[in-house]
């Protein structure tokens, strides 16, 4: 039985299973840490400490492995949904003010 995909790597988008989220684990594709803020469902760059959890302990480097007890892997549906094309982003922002 194949492992269920829980999320994707914050760096390369590679599929991650439950076994890939250990404290010392790294992405098999790019070797970046997987149990880090950037791979967490609570990660929110615009909020205080870039986290949706208000009482979380501060983590300075969001790409390094950490011991956060509130860590939850991003879901497969969360990965890749953000638009990064500057022209599309500008167009979407202009549409808001029409």
């Amino acid at each position: 039985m194949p492992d269920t995909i829980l999320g994707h790597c914050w760096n390369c988008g590679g599929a991650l299973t439950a076994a890939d989220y250990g404290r010392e684990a790294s992405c098999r594709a790019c070797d970046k840490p997987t149990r880090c803020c950037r791979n967490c469902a609570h990660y929110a760059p615009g909020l205080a400490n870039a986290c949706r959890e208000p009482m979380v302990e501060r983590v300075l480097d969001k790409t390094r492995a950490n011991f956060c007890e509130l860590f939850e892997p991003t879901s497969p549906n969360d990965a890749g949904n953000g638009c990064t094309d500057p022209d599309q982003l500008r167009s979407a922002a202009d549409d808001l003010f029409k």
Side-chain angles (χ1 to χ4, degrees):
M1 183 169 127
D3 291 332
T4 303
I5 295 174
L6 290 182
H8 292 87
C9 175
W10 61 271
N11 185 57
C12 71
L16 300 172
T17 65
D20 296 322
Y21 286 105
R23 167 67 175 97
E24 299 291 327
S26 297
C27 175
R28 289 180 240 171
C30 69
D31 204 35
K32 296 289 185 181
T34 54
R35 190 180 178 93
C36 65
C37 293
R38 292 288 307 269
N39 249 11
C40 183
H42 301 296
Y43 179 68
L47 299 178
N49 197 25
C51 187
R52 289 184 182 95
E53 293 293 333
M55 301 304 288
V56 71
E57 188 173 327
R58 186 172 184 213
V59 176
L60 294 176
D61 189 346
K62 307 298 184 196
T63 63
R64 293 188 63 191
N66 60 60
F67 291 103
C68 183
E69 295 176 2
L70 302 175
F71 177 83
E72 287 182 30
T74 57
S75 71
N77 296 332
D78 292 342
N81 287 342
C83 174
T84 58
D85 179 33
D87 294 329
Q88 286 181 334
L89 291 172
R90 183 170 288 111
S91 175
D94 290 342
D95 290 345
L96 288 173
F97 299 103
K98 284 185 176 179

